[in-house]
Amino acid sequence: MVHFVGGGDGAGDDGWSVAGKAFTSRLIVGTGKYKSFEQNAAAVAASGAEIVTVAVRRVNVSDPKAPMLTDYIDPKKITYLPNTAGCFTGEEAIRTLRLAREAGGWDLVKLEVLGEARTLYPDMVETLRATEVLAKEGFKPMVYCVDDPIAAKRLEDAGAVAIMPLGAPIGSGLGIQNRVTIRLIVEGTTLPVLVDAGVGTASEAAQAMELGCTGVLMNTAIAEAKDPVLMAAAMKAGVEAGRMAYRAGRMGKRLYADPSSPLAGLI
């Protein structure tokens, strides 16, 4: 049995934590759609990410006779976050994570229960039910959800350890479609909020961070870029820039011009 541990060295001046684990990087990356494990590992290194998501039903992490992700991304240095990608019922997701815990000892997990294949939107009824069951069983679920502040609060009450609203449909690259509701989620919960799905480029990652999100999770935006490793570096810079801008506090918006230099006392 392989035990997966890891994470950042500490929260630092502007780190964050989830379920008692401290991290520095606010970018989480996936492990799907890459041309090879080598390319995936190079992208993770360029991104600076300390957490990678792993689709339990699709990625080999336990069969030593086949190529393993763990040979390329060291689980002692990078925290593995198993997810339930491809699950369309709460029971299916619960069963998948139970198997994952037996295989790797995981309790920090990413829960997603999809409603239908066309949009890959979350089924919130099943998601809430699965969150309650997993929390009672000792799991610490980070939960993919709709961009709805009411749903986010219910997930918090159900035992979620992080709220992960979609910015746009999974794999769409459309960017954040509803900035208002994402901001309301940030304001309405005490949990980490990470935009999950829809980000297509670095400016959109920065936008998520400027809204006050704790972090951003992405896979397709990096894996399907013409140069995934360069895009991973760009996403790192975008997340860091957005976070700095949020901490700095942007100027107020005005309807009319305001001169950069005083007009009084001109020669």
Side-chain angles (χ1 to χ4, degrees), residues 158-169:
V161 298
I163 307 299
M164 307 182 78
L166 55 81

Side-chain angles (χ1 to χ4, degrees), residues 54-138:
V54 180
V56 177
R57 305 178 73 194
R58 298 173 183 159
V59 176
N60 174 38
V61 291
S62 60
D63 181 4
K65 297 179 182 179
M68 297 179 66
L69 181 66
T70 52
D71 293 333
Y72 298 87
I73 299 175
D74 188 350
K76 293 182 179 178
K77 297 179 180 178
I78 302 293
T79 293
Y80 275 44
L81 183 68
N83 71 44
T84 57
C87 291
F88 287 85
T89 68
E91 189 55 44
E92 193 176 25
I94 292 166
R95 182 169 62 251
T96 297
L97 291 177
R98 286 171 178 164
L99 291 172
R101 182 158 64 180
E102 287 190 21
W106 285 304
D107 58 1
L108 181 63
V109 296
K110 182 194 166 190
L111 172 67
E112 58 182 79
V113 184
L114 306 175
E116 45 103 31
R118 185 173 64 90
T119 63
L120 299 182
Y121 257 60
D123 181 329
M124 290 310 300
V125 173
E126 288 289 285
T127 297
L128 279 164
R129 186 178 70 82
T131 299
E132 291 176 345
V133 172
L134 290 168
K136 288 177 182 178
E137 293 185 6

